[in-house]
Amino acid sequence: MGLYGLYGLYGLYGSLWVSMVSMVSMVSMGLYGSLWSLWSLWVSMCLYGLYVFLWVSMVSMVSLYGLCVSLWSLPTGSLFVGDVNPKWWRPPLPRTPPDTLCFLQLDIDHYVGSPVPGMPGATHGPVPILRLFGVTAEGNSVCLHLHGFTPYFYVLAPQGVGVQHLEPLRQELDSALLRELRGNREGLSRAVLGLELCYKQSLLGYHGGQLSPFVRVLLALPRLVPPARRLLEQGLPWGDMGVHRAAPYESNVDFEIRFMVDSGLVGCSWVEVPSGQFHLRGPPPGVPPVSRCQLEADAAWGGLRCHPPEGQWMGLPPLRILSVDIECEGRKGIFPEPEQDAVIQVGCAVQRQGDPEPFLRLVLVLSSCAPIPGAAVICFQRERDLLQSWAEFVRILDPDIITGYNIQNFDLPYLLQRARVLKVDSFPFLGRIRLRRSELRDSTFQSRQLGRRENKVLSAEGRVVLDMLQVLLREHKLRSYTLNAVSFHFLQEQKEDVPHGIITDLQRGSAQSRRRLALYCLKDTILPLRLAQRLRVLLSHVELARVTGVALSTILCRGQQVRVVAQLLRQAMREDLLMPVVKVEGGEDYEGATVIEPLKGYYDVPIVTLDFCSLYPSIMMAHNLCYSTLLPPGGVQLGPTDYIRTPSGDLFVTSGVRRGLLPRVLEGLLEARSRVKQELAQEQDVFRRQVLHGRQMALKVSANSVYGFTGAQAGKLPCLEVSQSVTAFGRQMIERTKQLIEERYCLRQGYPADAKVVYGDTDSVMCRLGVTSVAEAMTLGQEVATWVSQHFPAPIRLQFEKVYWPYLLISKKRYAGLCYSSSPEVSDGLDCKGLEAVRRDNCPLVANVVTACLQRLLLHRDPAGAVLHAQEVISDLLCDRLDLSQLVITKELTRSDSEYSAPQAHVRLAQRTPSMPWSTTCPLTAAITWSSSWPSPCCASLSPSWGRAGPRASCSVRTPQTP
DNA sequence: CCCCCTTCCTAG
DNA sequence: TGAGCTAGGAAGGGGG
């Protein structure tokens, strides 16, 4: 009796709590969502009652603690109750609640909610609450609500401002803001929490180092920042100081970034809340949980401890990675549309980070399906049950990361839309917040580099969507990005052979044919997991998040700028420097790097390549180039040794006066890079080497993008003085290097020959030093590099990179050569830059022919033979590389026998190829022409000639436009 | 035929 | 309100 009483009481109590907590969420949901949430509320109420009942009645059986929490996580429906595989649950919670709350944070966001008693910050009205999602070392999922962190920004105050001016200004701004809040439905009573007078400096420009008065504007909600900034910028009365238009600082910093920077928290790091400083959500009198995580707690912002990702805090907990793939019942020749075409199968594979294999394979099939060993098959008669069950599966499984191939733009949107069409009300709740509807958002991403890219974004709070297609598009330049091509390239493994056209037929066939489709579907979930594993995608992205200090999801779905901003802010904060908000204006372009005029030709002698390592970062470090060291024209007067004039005419103070922020940031990145390179040198495992290589590349790209950030005119903080100084130094350096080498390494100075810089681009020079062997070239190259380096300030360093022999220089940015980088005996193979062999805007035949010709020329060292056997090359290609049935010789043209020209063979080939992803299905045509003029204006040529300097040759082929 | 523009993709 | 940068070759199109 008593127990039943408790049950009902606690059920009521719980439901009240849930309803209160859900109020705010419901505001943002539509009517439909609200209806659903009411229903869910009812279910939650029952479950909560049951949960509390179990809790109270089994207090002594502590081992059931985990089970209770699991029950609380039960899905809202009951489709699965009989089918739940124990492996689906996360590991149970430890026997006793944790003493300290320690976990790896994977995702950070914030929401506006009601204050929780006992937590810092406002005690009534809406408050911003940060939310950290993560996983403990034991593999339990965590949701931590952090209270008391306040959004803020700064404005520059007029000289002579005093604390007495603050309260009138606060009231002015406060009432202006509240007036703008139409309706003020949340009942905000105070928009401006406070103004603080502080003394800081702008990080833009050196102004003698004096501090200026700034006002720090603390606001009740992050969304008040833009209007507050606008009001202050437009001008408000500052008491007796009159109306002042105040320049804003750091008002364009995202709330989460602000929080991470201020807390010293980097992405994917371990955090800890000490004993007694957090309150686990749970049974009364605790606050009821709102998430699906196993552990949920509240803590004050100040109670969070952040462990730098070093030593024991470098590892990762057993994260759960869910890979998903769906099959649709498409109509003949029509791409599946969720408004019409059913989802017939959903494949899932789940792997723990660090495990070699998935521990769970599951496929949900519409209609019957024959069993599959090693995989669970669940059959459904109705599509809506299938969809609902999948969503419930996701909620039970509680994955940290959702992966797959093109899930971001296809599978997930399709499922969501299909569920909407079929009115599967409980479907779109895929995140970790119980009452939060998963929504689809269109985002356009535009940059000069990548062009315009349209993406869909699924909201699933607390889970990270990691689409392998997006990762590969960003990080690898491939000819084709189909899952099949990519798997073959990286795994030497391919998809199950099921052509698109027969999917519907297989579905409509028998249990056996649906089994075949299920195998195909499962394979498509396994392949992305294997790809991610082989390319160490998770590890390298985690590393990037840690290095640049932003969250994993930021790394995955945003650009380079936000990473630089985060690093800049961290550095600036330590020195009381503030980031101004600059206006975007379409400025004119600035001058970039020098490309040395190539001495075109075929070189049958060793050519030494020397390059400046991390040229632009090292220039910025060597000359202390930064926002904070820029001396504006007509600025403070300084002694002649206190500043430098860059080759572009801009002035910067020396590091003795003030060390720049950017040089410091770069130091951090490059030191991390050299640590990784040391590791790389000791690593034996092929694939771990690839990771480390990828990681050091990522650090290099991060360092290089610091320069790009200063030149990004549509960016957060462009500073062309910095970027044009960097490139101007670079231009000066490469000219100087050429001059130094040619003046010292010559006959007149006692060297065996006159050295010649035959080519160079941005940070590299290719030199003919007059030596006749690779070994000599390496030795002399080292010496030259060391000697030249002495002429430049640290950390600028010219290093020996490799030797080319032979070397074919066709034009700027187009060359090839046989490469020796470590051993003079063993070549590293052909290196080919800019030629059609490495370009993706031609059909594969073109690249193949060019590669074959380059091999003849550079590997077999037989330029004449390359032409004489032109037909043979084609025959080789026909036989070895291409399917004869796919090639048609449409035209055979003249064979010139003029004594001044090499034999010409004009052959027109048509090749049917699977189209490139961005191309249509038209067959591509390649015209291959051999001619004697060089460099040839022909569309395609491989043509040697003999001049006074010896043999010369060029090779290029093009694809004509498809008619 | 030349010149100038755009588009694509690469080098660094 | 979110987007790193410039140089440069190959090729097509349009205008003179």
Side-chain angles (χ1 to χ4, degrees):
Chain A
M1 278 289 280
L3 284 179
Y4 282 109
L6 270 175
Y7 176 93
L9 203 63
Y10 279 127
L12 181 63
Y13 175 86
S15 71
L16 282 174
W17 257 112
V18 171
S19 63
M20 283 159 73
V21 173
S22 64
M23 284 306 194
V24 176
S25 326
M26 284 172 64
V27 170
S28 59
M29 295 165 63
L31 175 67
Y32 188 67
S34 304
L35 285 176
W36 189 84
S37 76
L38 283 175
W39 176 67
S40 135
L41 209 62
W42 180 80
V43 178
S44 303
M45 187 174 81
C46 300
L47 283 170
Y48 195 71
L50 178 65
Y51 164 56
V52 172
F53 163 69
L54 286 171
W55 179 281
V56 170
S57 59
M58 299 181 189
V59 166
S60 56
M61 300 172 68
V62 185
S63 62
L64 279 176
Y65 171 71
L67 178 64
C68 297
V69 176
S70 297
L71 280 173
W72 165 239
S73 316
L74 261 180
T76 45
S78 57
L79 283 172
F80 260 139
V81 167
D83 299 324
V84 171
N85 180 329
K87 285 201 287 189
W88 294 3
W89 302 106
R90 295 194 81 104
L93 286 170
R95 295 171 148 268
T96 51
D99 182 37
T100 74
L101 188 61
C102 181
F103 62 100
L104 181 112
Q105 45 88 13
L106 258 194
D107 197 21
I108 297 181
D109 65 5
H110 81 272
Y111 64 100
V112 174
S114 317
V116 165
M119 289 295 150
T123 50
H124 59 279
V127 292
I129 300 167
L130 283 144
R131 208 160 39 189
L132 276 62
F133 293 96
V135 177
T136 66
E138 293 76 31
N140 299 128
S141 56
V142 182
C143 172
L144 174 64
H145 304 257
L146 277 182
H147 303 260
F149 185 75
T150 307
Y152 67 88
F153 68 103
Y154 297 90
V155 289
L156 183 59
Q159 284 295 334
V161 77
V163 282
Q164 72 278 11
H165 297 110
L166 296 182
E167 185 51 26
L169 178 65
R170 191 201 69 77
Q171 287 175 15
E172 193 76 40
L173 184 60
D174 193 64
S175 52
L177 278 174
L178 289 174
R179 264 199 306 279
E180 288 202 1
L181 280 180
R182 279 197 310 262
N184 189 12
R185 276 176 302 174
E186 302 113 318
L188 201 66
S189 53
R190 203 174 160 108
V192 184
L193 299 183
L195 300 184
E196 291 171 5
L197 189 58
C198 52
Y199 291 86
K200 293 181 182 284
Q201 301 174 62
S202 167
L203 66 71
L204 186 54
Y206 180 77
H207 300 92
Q210 312 109 315
L211 299 169
S212 308
F214 283 85
V215 171
R216 184 170 180 243
V217 183
L218 294 114
L219 297 162
L221 296 174
R223 104 170 91 87
L224 296 172
V225 169
R229 170 213 152 166
R230 184 172 39 76
L231 288 164
L232 284 160
E233 212 172 12
Q234 286 166 354
L236 286 178
W238 289 53
D240 56 14
M241 311 220 33
V243 171
H244 175 63
R245 290 166 178 270
Y249 285 72
E250 303 191 0
S251 62
N252 51 358
V253 177
D254 295 342
F255 190 53
E256 284 81 7
I257 297 274
R258 179 83 273 166
F259 158 73
M260 292 176 80
V261 167
D262 289 16
S263 314
L265 177 68
V266 297
C268 297
S269 60
W270 290 88
V271 295
E272 190 165 354
V273 188
S275 176
Q277 299 200 34
F278 63 94
H279 302 292
L280 275 185
R281 294 203 178 185
V287 180
V290 295
S291 80
R292 297 179 207 284
C293 293
Q294 292 171 289
L295 287 167
E296 187 170 337
D298 293 276
W301 169 59
L304 188 72
R305 301 282 169 271
C306 310
H307 297 292
E310 293 153 16
Q312 59 165 317
W313 302 111
M314 267 172 59
L316 290 179
L319 301 172
R320 296 195 136 196
I321 308 168
L322 165 66
S323 178
V324 181
D325 181 55
I326 68 169
E327 306 302 331
C328 308
E329 185 166 43
R331 293 154 289 159
K332 280 267 180 292
I334 303 172
F335 195 76
E337 292 162 11
E339 288 72 22
Q340 307 203 21
D341 302 311
V343 172
I344 51 183
Q345 299 203 353
V346 182
C348 305
V350 191
Q351 188 164 356
R352 266 180 302 261
Q353 156 65 22
D355 284 3
E357 288 289 322
F359 67 88
L360 180 63
R361 292 155 209 247
L362 167 70
V363 58
L364 311 187
V365 181
L366 198 57
S367 183
S368 66
C369 179
I372 298 172
V377 180
I378 303 180
C379 300
F380 298 86
Q381 290 313 305
R382 294 191 310 167
E383 187 191 357
R384 56 188 323 279
D385 292 343
L386 187 157
L387 293 177
Q388 181 169 349
S389 298
W390 180 76
E392 290 176 359
F393 168 70
V394 171
R395 294 189 280 263
I396 296 173
L397 186 79
D398 190 23
D400 306 297
I401 290 167
I402 301 177
T403 189
Y405 209 76
N406 201 20
I407 51 167
Q408 185 185 315
N409 289 315
F410 180 70
D411 301 63
L412 295 178
Y414 199 101
L415 285 169
L416 220 59
Q417 184 58 25
R418 189 67 189 157
R420 191 198 304 239
V421 169
L422 295 182
K423 301 187 168 37
V424 185
D425 306 341
S426 69
F427 184 89
F429 294 82
L430 301 173
R432 282 180 159 153
I433 298 302
R434 298 181 62 81
L435 297 178
R436 181 79 181 153
R437 174 178 286 265
S438 296
E439 278 159 349
L440 211 54
R441 208 162 39 80
D442 282 312
S443 85
T444 56
F445 186 101
Q446 190 172 351
S447 76
R448 270 197 221 185
Q449 182 191 24
L450 300 170
R452 193 172 61 252
R453 221 172 246 186
E454 301 210 348
N455 274 319
K456 298 189 186 305
V457 182
L458 173 87
S459 60
E461 282 78 4
R463 309 196 206 282
V464 177
V465 174
L466 196 164
D467 187 336
M468 280 306 296
L469 173 62
Q470 300 299 322
V471 169
L472 290 163
L473 282 172
R474 269 190 180 213
E475 300 189 356
H476 297 272
K477 293 194 165 179
L478 301 173
R479 220 169 244 290
S480 165
Y481 289 95
T482 62
L483 179 57
N484 202 29
V486 162
S487 302
F488 184 71
H489 186 259
F490 290 108
L491 305 170
Q492 291 77 52
E493 196 174 340
Q494 285 180 282
K495 292 174 42 142
E496 297 293 321
D497 188 25
V498 174
H500 288 110
I502 69 164
I503 288 178
T504 302
D505 300 336
L506 288 178
Q507 176 64 22
R508 292 183 182 161
S510 62
Q512 278 303 328
S513 70
R514 283 186 289 276
R515 178 181 185 273
R516 186 174 158 209
L517 187 57
L519 282 171
Y520 168 84
C521 183
L522 273 177
K523 181 86 176 188
D524 285 4
T525 64
I526 304 288
L527 287 173
L529 285 176
R530 296 222 174 113
L531 282 168
Q533 199 170 3
R534 179 142 307 179
L535 301 172
R536 300 297 196 276
V537 167
L538 190 58
L539 282 179
S540 65
H541 281 78
V542 162
E543 194 63 19
L544 214 41
R546 288 171 169 178
V547 166
T548 58
V550 300
L552 181 60
S553 56
T554 309
I555 295 286
L556 288 170
C557 56
R558 293 179 64 182
Q560 296 283 349
Q561 288 215 43
V562 64
R563 307 182 198 180
V564 182
V565 169
Q567 295 172 81
L568 187 64
L569 282 173
R570 274 174 215 274
Q571 199 53 245
M573 199 175 65
R574 296 189 195 141
E575 304 178 31
D576 278 340
L577 297 177
L578 299 180
M579 191 174 87
V581 179
V582 299
K583 289 187 192 75
V584 284
E585 48 183 70
E588 55 274 20
D589 289 353
Y590 64 92
E591 195 180 340
T594 296
V595 183
I596 293 176
E597 196 55 45
L599 226 64
K600 299 172 188 175
Y602 174 84
Y603 294 88
D604 201 7
V605 291
I607 299 292
V608 170
T609 300
L610 310 175
D611 62 14
F612 288 102
C613 21
S614 302
L615 178 72
Y616 287 176
S618 64
I619 287 176
M620 294 170 91
M621 290 190 278
H623 298 105
N624 201 34
L625 305 182
C626 182
Y627 302 98
S628 62
T629 58
L630 174 67
L631 203 51
V636 288
Q637 293 297 307
L638 287 171
T641 56
D642 289 336
Y643 67 92
I644 58 157
R645 179 182 296 271
T646 69
S648 58
D650 302 297
L651 308 181
F652 290 87
V653 301
T654 58
S655 55
V657 177
R658 174 195 273 172
R659 181 87 169 112
L661 304 170
L662 296 181
R664 270 196 222 281
V665 166
L666 291 168
E667 252 172 44
L669 290 170
L670 294 182
E671 274 167 19
R673 180 165 183 240
S674 57
R675 281 200 299 275
V676 171
K677 283 178 110 174
Q678 277 173 20
E679 259 183 85
L680 184 64
Q682 288 170 8
E683 183 60 60
Q684 298 298 317
D685 178 72
V686 171
F687 292 118
R688 284 193 58 83
R689 287 183 62 85
Q690 284 181 357
V691 180
L692 291 174
H693 178 74
R695 187 181 300 173
Q696 66 91 12
M697 283 301 286
L699 285 161
K700 182 182 177 173
V701 169
S702 292
N704 281 336
S705 65
V706 170
Y707 150 75
F709 176 73
T710 65
Q713 295 186 44
K716 280 239 161 86
L717 195 59
C719 183
L720 296 199
E721 290 88 342
V722 170
S723 29
Q724 73 190 4
S725 293
V726 170
T727 57
F729 270 121
R731 291 193 300 274
Q732 198 183 58
M733 285 165 61
I734 198 167
E735 284 302 335
R736 180 94 201 281
T737 302
K738 175 172 152 68
Q739 195 186 353
L740 283 168
I741 292 173
E742 290 179 352
E743 280 177 5
R744 178 176 160 99
Y745 294 87
C746 58
L747 289 165
R748 213 159 39 80
Q749 300 281 345
Y751 285 90
D754 285 334
K756 184 70 194 167
V757 172
V758 299
Y759 180 58
D761 185 346
T762 310
D763 60 354
S764 64
V765 283
M766 276 66 159
C767 327
R768 185 178 60 200
L769 294 175
V771 294
T772 53
S773 72
V774 175
E776 287 171 282
M778 285 181 163
T779 314
L780 189 53
Q782 299 277 5
E783 186 199 315
V784 176
T786 308
W787 179 74
V788 172
S789 294
Q790 294 167 6
H791 295 77
F792 297 103
I796 294 172
R797 192 167 66 85
L798 185 71
Q799 66 178 2
F800 165 80
E801 177 81 7
K802 56 196 164 195
V803 175
Y804 285 119
W805 189 21
Y807 182 57
L808 177 64
L809 179 52
I810 290 170
S811 65
K812 286 181 173 177
K813 300 188 189 283
R814 293 167 69 83
Y815 61 84
L818 187 58
C819 178
Y820 297 81
S821 64
S822 43
S823 156
E825 281 85 35
V826 191
S827 94
D828 303 327
L830 279 187
D831 215 0
C832 178
K833 302 289 185 186
L835 301 181
E836 280 67 15
V838 296
R839 291 179 69 94
R840 298 172 298 169
D841 50 356
N842 292 96
C843 77
L845 174 62
V846 171
N848 291 340
V849 168
V850 172
T851 304
C853 293
L854 286 173
Q855 281 169 354
R856 294 218 171 223
L857 211 52
L858 302 170
L859 231 43
H860 308 301
R861 298 157 159 276
D862 184 14
V867 168
L868 293 172
H869 297 113
Q871 287 289 359
E872 202 184 305
V873 171
I874 292 175
S875 303
D876 284 358
L877 288 164
L878 287 174
C879 301
D880 298 337
R881 294 168 182 262
L882 297 165
D883 180 355
L884 264 176
S885 65
Q886 293 187 329
L887 273 173
V888 196
I889 298 184
T890 56
K891 205 187 246 177
E892 192 153 347
L893 297 177
T894 58
R895 182 180 292 271
S896 161
D897 47 18
S898 151
E899 58 183 306
Y900 296 110
S901 60
Q904 290 185 346
H906 298 250
V907 180
R908 187 169 288 271
L909 300 172
Q911 180 191 14
R912 295 175 187 282
T913 66
S915 60
M916 289 180 282
W918 53 84
S919 158
T920 61
T921 54
C922 297
L924 294 165
T925 303
I928 304 170
T929 309
W930 275 259
S931 75
S932 62
S933 62
W934 191 87
S936 167
C938 284
C939 59
S941 69
L942 169 76
S943 43
S945 61
W946 282 265
R948 283 195 183 80
R952 297 189 298 170
S954 87
C955 178
S956 76
V957 184
R958 76 166 172 88
T959 308
Q961 291 259 305
T962 359

